[in-house]
């Protein structure tokens, strides 16, 4: 069994790692030559203002009295500069947004393993290409660009990470810090000759990262007074900074300014996905080299009319286009990895300058295409290499020749159109070569994992059926062993030689040779599956496969459509009626029916975080207290002498902890609403409750229902502290259904005529090993395994798709901390996710004991179910889209890949929680006897 476990672990690790080779390799290439125009640039310096988390509509729209929230920048749009909307790409997060603005390329998907704070590979940027760059702002953003810069010419000035507090009364202090430190910087430069000399160089950049809007948006939502007042503060600060620059440089008209945002924000204060409120950000440019406002007759964008700007030319861009715009304005080489297209409509310069700048842009992107093609050609046999046909070498030369000819003839518009064509083809070619090996690797992994699934099925049949090897079949197998071995060895040698000739990385050998080993193992036991199928009628086989396929498809669909869980729970509600169980257990069946329908409501509710409601959290806590009081009443009414006073005292203690959790949630919410911050005593109590949640149940009796109730109360207290709305009711309903499931599984034993049936009230978890016997599986155990997987998925997705932690509401952890800390916050959210899992596994631990299911065989069935689901999700993994899309597709794959191992680990935790008991003063009692 140990060999099987290790083999399965290896196969799953390989299958999991394969998605990073197939989908999440970095698209960036290195070794390109920098390109810049030889013509003189219009500006000597550039100032970049990035208002983190600013929505386009909030910035451009007018307030009730017809004035702007940002009067200075509004005046710039109308009298001195150009404007438009910058269309960001998902994921709309701070790191990829700033990389797009400053480096010119979109999300490097290999960053999924790095979080949000840094890019996984080195990259070029406008800052790196500049002579000097000075930056002020968040420690989450600025170091990323200084780290990737060559030399020592990018300088960062950051406030402390603790300043990013969602509970602060006024997050505009983050922006005020930037403005004040910039003023102090210029003041010191007047008496520092070395610094003064650097500041008067050409090709320099100033970057002001303004995080106040993002912090206020998360804490108070974008529709709040705090968020809108922050827009005004930013506008006032930019006005003051612009005057500061003009005064320092003597109004030399050689400073270019760009104001924009990295991403927007939803109405409920989150970002990361592709809603227009997240992807539409403002862009305003003015100063040296930037075109003045141009009046137009009519613009068709409805939002321009709503903003009263339909009379001024609007120039929309893609976010990555800002990088080549900045490079063109100050005359530096375009960032080597940039895929942005220069928005020439922003440039106020000669047509020759615009055409040459576009040609430089095209050459820089074409250089990336050439390097990518050369890299792929080196690792592919010449007769197997299939080049990107739309941009052959002759095609490249032809377009470049025509472009230079048009520039020489002063046909600048035609030249720029040719450059745009070349850029489009080069970008398509980059994508082609980046995904060149995807199909080949996908097929190898699919074949290998399909073989593993067949092997697990064979192992289940081998250990749970009475099939023996017939002598005739055994002799036949023995005679053909040498042929099978030679065939598989020959395939392995051929594949190895082929991969060596291609100079493939070592991971390719694993993906290609693993299927050989797995299918050889299947071929050794293939006769078991054949014999078993021959013992069944064809109609039964077809029916079983149909039901199995439909059941697994329901599980897969539930990952995408939460309403499928509702349909499944409604079907579960009817199951006892269909199977005639209700005739012998009417009350249990009625409870099961009602609770299934009640739980089915949750997947139809809005995703957690959109509509906070502390009243519902309080209600859930009070209902849990009511259940606890009912338990005490039952004890006293029955005068149950088997329950010790110590157990009753522990139960009352847990009730007090639950009541305290309700109090903490309400007082924390009130304190934050009044802008008084998180009370330190509330924070201490919250962390103490969390830390004790897995310890306190161990003091209770190990009698079945008493221990289950103790675990529920302990976990419910923590769950309340992590809840903001209706999801607080979820573990309450789920636990009630699990309680009923324990009873109804007992009734199935009678229904199917099994001789053993234990009285549930008489089961003691600490003695479970004495009453558990091994038996072979039957079809009803497959149904129980399916129930387990379905309830686990319901526990995960019942209150929303929180698989992607990037999109969670920070308000969920405000009882524990308010200062931004992604790892601590992520850990708390993971614990919140785990709590319903533990409740489900506690119930199944009981079902396993009472029905005598073999845990080893159970997990093999779960393994087959989840591995088939894994194959579905393998082909549904996304390497494009929002963090929510990318993260969700990965998390779906990871969840089902690791579900069996995860359930085994969770089963161990639950076994510890249910069977172990801490007896206080044990030594004291022993001493006194």
């Amino acid at each position: 069994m140990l060999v099987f476990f290790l083999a399965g672990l290896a196969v799953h690790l390989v299958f999991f790692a394969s998605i990073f080779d197939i989908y999440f390799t970095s698209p960036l290439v290195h070794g390109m030559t920098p390109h810049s125009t030889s013509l003189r640039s219009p500006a000597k310096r550039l100032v970049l203002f990035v208002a983190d988390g600013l929505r386009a509509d909030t910035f451009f729209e007018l307030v009730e009295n017809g004035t702007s929230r940002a009067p200075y920048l509004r005046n710039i749009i109308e009298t001195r500069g150009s404007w438009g909307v910058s269309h960001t790409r998902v994921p709309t997060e701070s790191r990829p947004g700033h990389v797009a603005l400053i480096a010119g390329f979109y999300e490097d998907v290999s960053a999924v393993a790095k979080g949000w704070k840094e890019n996984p590979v080195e990259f070029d940027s406008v800052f790196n290409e500049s002579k000097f760059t000075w930056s002020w702002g968040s420690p989450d953003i600025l170091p990323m660009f200084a780290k990737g810069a060559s030399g020592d010419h990018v300088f960062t000035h950051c406030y402390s990470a603790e300043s990013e507090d969602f509970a602060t009364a006024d997050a505009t202090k983050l922006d005020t810090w930037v403005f004040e430190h910039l003023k102090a910087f210029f003041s010191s430069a007047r008496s520092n000759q070395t610094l003064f000399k650097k500041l008067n160089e050409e090709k320099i950049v100033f970057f002001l990262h303004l995080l106040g809007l993002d912090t206020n948006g998360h804490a108070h939502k974008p529709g709040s007074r705090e968020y809108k007042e922050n827009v005004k503060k930013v506008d006032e600060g930019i006005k003051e900074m612009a005057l500061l620059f003009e005064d320092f440089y003597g109004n030399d008209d050689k400073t270019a300014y760009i104001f924009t945002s990295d991403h927007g924000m939803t109405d409920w204060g989150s970002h990361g996905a592709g809603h227009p409120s997240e992807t539409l950000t403002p862009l305003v440019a003015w100063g040296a080299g930037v075109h003045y406002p141009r009046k137009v007759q009519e613009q068709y964008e409805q939002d321009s009319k709503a903003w009263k700007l339909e009379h001024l030319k609007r120039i929309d861009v893609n976010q990555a286009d800002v990088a080549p715009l900045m490079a063109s304005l100050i005359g530096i080489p375009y960032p080597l990895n940039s895929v942005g297209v220069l928005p020439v409509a922003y440039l106020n310069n000669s047509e020759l300058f615009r055409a040459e700048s576009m040609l430089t842009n095209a050459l820089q992107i074409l250089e990336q295409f050439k390097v990518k093609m050369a890299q792929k050609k080196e690792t592919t046999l010449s007769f197997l290499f299939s080049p990107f046909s739309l941009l052959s070498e002759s095609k490249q030369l032809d377009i470049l020749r025509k472009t230079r000819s048009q520039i020489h003839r002063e046909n600048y518009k035609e030249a720029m159109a040719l450059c745009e064509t070349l850029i489009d083809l080069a970008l398509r070619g980059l994508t082609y070569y980046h995904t060149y090996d995807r199909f080949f690797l996908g097929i190898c992994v699919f074949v290998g994992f399909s073989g593993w699934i067949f092997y697990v099925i064979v192992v289940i049949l081998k250990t749970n059926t009475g099939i023996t090897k017939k002598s005739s079949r055994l002799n036949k197998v023995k005679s053909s062993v040498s042929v099978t071995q030679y065939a598989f060895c020959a395939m392995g040698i051929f594949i190895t030689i082929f991969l060596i000739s291609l100079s493939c990385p070592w991971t390719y050998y694993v993906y290609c040779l693993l299927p050989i080993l797995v299918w050889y193992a299947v071929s050794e036991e293939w006769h078991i599956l054949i014999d078993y199928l021959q013992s069944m009628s064809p109609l039964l086989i077809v029916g079983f496969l149909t039901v199995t396929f439909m059941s697994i498809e329901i599980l897969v669909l539930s990952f995408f459509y939460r309403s499928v869980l509702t349909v499944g729970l409604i079907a579960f509600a009817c199951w006892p009626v269909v199977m005639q169980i209700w005739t012998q257990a009417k009350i249990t069946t009625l409870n099961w029916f009602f609770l299934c329908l009640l739980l089915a409501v949750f997947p139809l509710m809005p995703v957690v975080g959109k509509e906070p409601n502390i009243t519902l959290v309080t209600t859930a806590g009070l209902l849990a207290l009511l259940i606890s009081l009912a338990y005490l009443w039952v004890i006293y009414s029955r005068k149950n002498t088997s329950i010790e006073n110590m157990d009753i005292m522990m139960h009352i203690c847990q009730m007090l902890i639950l009541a305290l959790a309700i109090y903490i949630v309400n007082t924390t919410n009130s304190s934050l609403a009044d802008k008084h911050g998180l009370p330190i005593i509330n924070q201490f109590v919250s962390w103490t409750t969390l830390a004790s949640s897995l310890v306190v149940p161990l003091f209770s009796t190990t009698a079945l229902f008493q221990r289950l109730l103790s675990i529920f109360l302990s976990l419910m207290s923590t769950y309340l502290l992590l809840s903001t709305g209706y999801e607080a009711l979820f573990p309450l309903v789920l636990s009630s259904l699990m309680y009923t499931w324990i009873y109804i599984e007992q009734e199935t034993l009678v229904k199917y005529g099994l001789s053993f049936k234990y009285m549930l009230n008489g089961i003691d978890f600490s003695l479970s090993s004495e009453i558990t016997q091994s038996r072979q599986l039957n079809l009803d155990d497959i149904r129980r395994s399916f129930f387990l997987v379905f309830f686990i998925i319901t526990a995960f997705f019942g209150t929303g798709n929180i698989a992607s932690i990037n999109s969670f509401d920070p308000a969920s952890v405000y009882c524990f901390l308010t200062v931004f800390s992604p790892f601590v916050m992520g850990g708390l959210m993971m614990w919140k996710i785990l709590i319903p899992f533990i409740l489900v596994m506690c119930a199944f631990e009981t079902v396993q004991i009472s029905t005598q299911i073999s845990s080893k065989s159970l997990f093999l069935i779960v393994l087959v179910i989840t591995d088939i689901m894994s194959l579905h999700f393998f082909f549904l993994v996304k390497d494009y889209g929002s963090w929510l899309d990318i993260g969700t597709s990965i998390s779906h794959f990871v969840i089902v890949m690791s579900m069996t191992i995860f359930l085994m680990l969770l089963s161990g935790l639950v076994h510890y929680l249910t069977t172990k008991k801490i007896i206080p003063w044990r030594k004291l009692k022993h001493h006194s006897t």
Side-chain angles (χ1 to χ4, degrees):
M1 191 63 189
L2 178 61
V3 175
F4 176 81
F5 176 78
L6 293 176
L9 184 62
V11 170
H12 283 77
L13 288 176
V14 170
F15 194 43
F16 172 70
S18 68
I19 67 169
F20 295 98
D21 265 335
I22 296 173
Y23 294 102
F24 298 109
T25 54
S26 176
L28 303 187
V29 291
H30 299 87
M32 290 81 68
T33 304
H35 288 82
S36 63
T37 179
S38 58
L39 301 178
R40 185 170 181 79
S41 61
K44 290 183 178 180
R45 67 200 69 91
L46 180 130
V47 184
L48 173 63
F49 301 97
V50 177
D52 201 306
L54 177 59
R55 293 163 52 143
D57 56 354
T58 305
F59 173 76
F60 287 120
E61 68 186 5
L62 302 178
V63 296
E64 290 78 6
N65 59 6
T67 60
S68 173
R69 293 191 182 93
Y72 174 73
L73 290 170
R74 180 80 176 198
N75 179 260
I76 292 290
I77 293 172
E78 294 177 345
T79 62
R80 295 175 51 195
S82 295
W83 75 284
V85 171
S86 172
H87 295 260
T88 71
R89 279 197 191 177
V90 286
T92 47
E93 301 286 353
S94 291
R95 181 189 57 77
H98 281 88
V99 170
L101 287 170
I102 299 165
F105 67 88
Y106 297 106
E107 182 58 273
D108 180 354
V109 292
S110 63
V112 293
K114 290 282 185 177
W116 309 319
K117 295 217 172 185
E118 61 177 290
N119 223 60
V121 296
E122 291 186 2
F123 60 93
D124 194 21
S125 69
V126 170
F127 294 173
N128 187 46
E129 295 292 351
S130 68
K131 188 72 174 288
F132 296 105
T133 292
W134 290 271
S135 56
W136 294 263
S138 169
D140 295 331
I141 298 299
L142 305 190
M144 173 173 58
F145 295 98
K147 178 182 176 182
S150 57
D152 186 20
H153 65 283
V154 178
F155 307 100
T156 61
H157 306 271
C158 307
Y159 39 74
S160 65
E162 289 73 23
S163 301
E164 301 174 23
D165 190 345
F166 294 127
T168 185
D170 184 16
T172 58
K173 66 181 182 181
L174 299 175
D175 301 336
T176 303
W177 186 97
V178 172
F179 297 138
E180 292 298 326
H181 278 70
L182 180 59
K183 287 191 287 186
F185 173 78
F186 275 113
S187 178
S188 66
R190 297 185 185 276
S191 57
N192 185 331
Q193 288 302 312
T194 303
L195 179 57
F196 187 83
K197 184 178 179 181
K198 289 180 179 178
L199 288 173
N200 281 280
E201 295 276 3
E202 295 186 2
K203 308 180 189 302
I204 62 174
V205 177
F206 300 89
F207 172 41
L208 282 70
H209 177 236
L210 309 172
L211 188 62
L213 282 160
D214 187 71
T215 306
N216 269 323
H218 284 306
H220 306 292
K221 314 312 175 196
S224 65
R225 178 185 59 82
E226 291 84 356
Y227 185 86
K228 293 175 181 177
E229 281 294 318
N230 203 155
V231 177
K232 183 179 180 181
K233 292 283 187 182
V234 166
D235 181 72
E236 292 171 353
I238 290 175
K239 178 181 180 181
E240 187 178 3
M241 295 305 100
L243 292 173
L244 180 66
F245 276 101
E246 296 305 323
D247 178 65
F248 186 86
Y249 288 108
N251 295 299
D252 63 353
D253 293 329
K254 290 296 181 180
T255 306
Y257 302 89
I258 290 180
F259 170 78
T260 187
S261 174
D262 55 344
H263 57 75
M265 191 172 288
T266 62
D267 292 338
W268 51 92
S270 70
H271 54 83
H275 190 273
S277 62
E278 300 169 87
T279 60
L280 302 183
T281 59
L283 176 62
V284 182
W286 71 100
V290 179
H291 220 296
Y292 287 99
R294 284 154 287 181
K295 292 190 176 182
V296 292
Q297 292 297 321
E298 186 177 7
Q299 292 188 124
Y300 295 101
E301 293 89 350
Q302 291 297 319
D303 45 12
S304 295
K305 296 179 181 179
W307 301 334
K308 307 298 182 186
L309 289 170
E310 69 275 12
H311 61 291
L312 296 174
K313 185 174 182 178
R314 168 175 165 174
I315 311 164
D316 283 10
V317 301
N318 291 319
Q319 192 173 49
D321 300 343
V322 177
L325 174 61
M326 292 191 291
S328 177
L329 287 171
I330 57 176
I332 60 175
Y334 292 17
L336 294 175
N337 301 112
S338 172
V339 295
V341 180
L342 177 65
V344 291
Y346 276 90
L347 298 179
N348 183 21
N349 217 313
S350 65
E351 289 294 315
L352 173 61
F353 181 86
R354 289 147 63 103
E356 286 288 352
S357 297
M358 276 296 293
L359 178 58
T360 304
N361 192 183
L363 289 172
Q364 169 261 326
I365 294 177
L366 181 63
E367 183 81 7
Q368 296 180 67
F369 168 80
K370 289 180 177 179
V371 171
K372 192 77 172 179
M373 181 178 69
Q375 289 177 351
K376 186 52 59 182
K377 201 169 185 178
E378 287 176 3
T379 59
T380 307
L381 295 176
S382 57
F383 65 89
L384 293 176
F385 180 69
S386 176
F388 182 61
S389 59
L390 297 179
L391 193 58
S392 61
E393 190 170 348
S394 60
K395 180 78 169 179
Q396 299 170 31
L397 294 174
D398 183 54
I399 294 177
L400 290 174
R401 179 183 56 78
K402 289 180 180 178
T403 302
R404 291 192 173 94
S405 175
Q406 295 291 1
I407 292 175
H408 182 71
R409 296 176 186 174
E410 300 184 358
N411 296 329
Y412 300 119
K413 288 185 178 180
E414 290 80 357
M416 287 189 282
L418 286 169
C419 289
E420 290 176 356
T421 300
L422 182 57
I423 289 172
D424 177 64
L425 291 173
L427 292 176
R428 290 164 63 185
L430 278 171
T431 302
Y432 172 80
Y433 287 119
H434 181 61
T435 59
Y436 193 83
D437 292 333
R438 183 168 294 182
F439 179 77
F440 167 70
L441 293 177
I443 291 297
C444 290
V445 171
F446 172 78
V447 172
F449 208 66
S450 299
W452 166 255
I453 292 172
F454 274 101
Y455 182 70
V456 175
I457 293 173
V458 168
V459 170
I460 293 173
L461 294 176
K462 188 176 182 180
T463 55
N464 288 279
T465 62
I467 296 176
T468 57
K469 297 179 181 179
K470 296 180 181 179
S471 57
S472 59
R473 185 180 298 278
L474 189 60
N475 294 331
K476 185 178 180 181
V477 169
K478 286 182 177 179
S479 65
S480 61
V481 157
S482 58
V483 177
T484 304
Q485 286 181 340
Y486 287 139
F488 278 101
C489 284
M491 283 190 288
I493 293 171
F494 174 78
I495 290 173
T496 302
I497 295 173
F498 178 74
L499 294 176
I500 291 174
S501 67
L502 296 179
S503 302
C504 291
W506 67 271
T507 52
Y508 282 43
Y509 291 84
V510 177
Y511 304 143
C512 295
L513 294 177
L514 186 61
I516 303 293
L517 297 174
V518 173
W519 279 104
Y520 174 73
V522 173
S523 69
E524 290 289 285
E525 307 286 353
W526 190 254
H527 63 280
I528 295 176
L529 180 61
I530 299 298
D531 287 347
Y532 185 76
L533 292 177
Q534 289 178 347
S535 67
M536 299 172 64
S537 68
L539 188 61
L540 182 61
I541 294 173
V542 173
F544 177 76
L545 292 177
T546 302
V547 172
T548 301
F549 175 79
M550 290 178 62
S551 300
I552 293 177
E553 285 304 309
I554 288 173
L555 294 176
V556 171
L557 284 174
S558 67
F559 279 70
F560 300 98
Y561 308 101
R562 292 170 58 214
S563 56
V564 173
L565 294 174
T566 299
V567 175
L569 286 166
I570 293 172
F572 277 20
C574 301
W575 163 68
V577 178
V578 174
M579 301 305 295
Q580 298 294 309
I581 298 173
W582 68 276
T583 57
Q584 66 204 40
K586 290 183 173 59
I587 295 177
T588 303
T589 301
L590 189 63
N591 288 337
W592 171 266
F593 183 82
F594 172 74
L595 289 169
C596 279
L597 295 183
L598 192 58
L599 191 65
V601 174
F602 284 90
L604 301 178
M605 300 287 283
V607 175
V608 168
K610 291 189 177 182
E611 298 178 8
N613 190 330
I614 299 301
T615 303
L616 289 177
V617 180
T618 305
T619 302
L622 293 175
L623 288 173
L625 280 175
L626 187 63
I627 292 173
S628 303
L629 288 171
Y631 169 72
L632 287 178
W633 179 80
V634 169
I635 291 176
Y636 281 105
S637 64
R638 294 182 180 179
K639 297 180 180 180
N640 194 336
T641 57
S642 63
I643 299 178
E644 299 178 2
N645 290 332
M646 184 62 190
D647 294 325
I648 296 176
M649 290 298 296
M650 283 304 306
H651 184 76
I652 294 173
C653 179
Q654 287 190 283
M655 290 175 61
L656 292 175
I657 294 173
L658 185 61
L660 185 59
I662 298 171
Y663 173 79
I664 293 296
V665 169
N666 282 273
T667 54
T668 299
N669 183 63
S670 299
S671 180
L672 295 177
D674 295 336
K675 296 185 172 60
H676 293 154
L678 172 61
I680 188 67
I681 185 65
N682 289 25
Q683 189 175 27
F684 174 77
V685 172
S686 297
W687 282 107
T688 303
T689 303
L690 173 65
S692 63
S693 59
L694 293 180
V695 178
V696 172
L698 303 182
F699 288 92
S700 65
T701 176
T702 53
L704 192 145
F705 289 116
Q706 288 90 328
R707 177 54 69 92
L708 291 181
L709 180 60
S710 178
I711 293 171
F712 165 71
L713 291 176
S714 186
L715 296 178
M716 188 67 184
S717 300
T718 304
Y719 201 88
L720 289 177
L721 294 172
L722 291 166
S723 299
T724 60
Y726 75 88
E727 81 273 19
L729 295 164
F730 182 72
L732 193 66
V733 178
L734 180 65
S735 297
S736 301
L737 180 60
M738 293 299 97
Y739 177 89
T740 309
W741 184 32
I742 293 170
Y743 269 103
I744 207 165
E745 285 293 354
Q746 284 292 96
E747 301 303 330
T748 62
L749 299 179
V750 177
K751 171 66 180 176
Y752 290 101
L754 296 178
S755 57
F756 53 86
K757 179 181 177 181
Y758 297 107
M759 292 296 294
L760 292 174
N761 290 329
I763 294 178
D764 190 310
F765 280 117
S766 63
L767 304 175
S768 60
S769 59
E770 299 178 13
I771 63 175
T772 301
Q773 304 169 9
S774 59
R775 63 175 175 85
Q776 290 186 344
L777 296 175
N778 55 43
L779 290 180
D780 209 37
D781 293 327
I782 298 176
R783 190 265 309 160
R784 291 187 181 101
S785 300
F786 177 79
F787 272 31
L788 172 62
V789 176
F790 186 90
F791 284 135
I792 286 291
I793 293 174
T794 303
F796 193 85
F797 291 109
T799 57
N801 183 1
I802 49 180
S804 181
I805 296 181
N806 309 353
S807 60
F808 84 91
D809 186 358
S812 298
V813 299
Y814 281 174
C815 287
F816 296 87
L817 77 164
T818 55
V819 176
F820 182 66
S821 178
F823 293 106
V824 177
M825 289 178 167
L828 289 170
M829 291 305 298
M830 287 303 297
W831 180 240
K832 181 181 179 181
I833 295 170
L834 279 174
I835 287 174
F837 291 171
I838 295 175
L839 296 175
V840 172
M841 285 304 296
C842 282
F844 194 77
E845 176 87 355
T846 309
V847 171
Q848 186 178 334
I849 293 170
S850 62
T851 60
Q852 296 184 341
I853 300 176
S854 167
S855 60
K856 181 179 73 173
S857 300
L858 161 75
F859 288 125
L860 287 178
I861 296 174
V862 172
L863 185 62
V864 172
I865 294 173
T866 56
D867 282 354
I868 294 173
M869 293 171 65
S870 296
L871 279 179
H872 279 74
F873 290 120
F874 175 76
F875 293 105
L876 296 175
V877 171
K878 291 185 177 181
D879 61 345
Y880 58 90
S882 69
W883 265 119
L884 187 62
D885 294 333
I886 296 171
T888 299
S889 70
I890 296 173
S891 62
H892 288 171
F893 179 74
V894 173
I895 289 165
V896 294
M897 275 289 296
S898 57
M899 185 175 288
T900 302
I901 296 175
F902 170 71
L903 291 180
M904 291 174 68
L905 295 174
L906 205 58
S907 178
L909 174 62
V910 166
H911 183 75
Y912 177 82
L913 281 175
T914 54
T915 60
K916 301 302 178 183
K917 179 175 174 60
I918 298 175
I919 303 176
W921 312 296
R922 175 182 292 180
K923 291 184 179 180
L924 183 63
K925 288 184 177 181
H926 175 75
H927 197 64
S928 61
T929 55

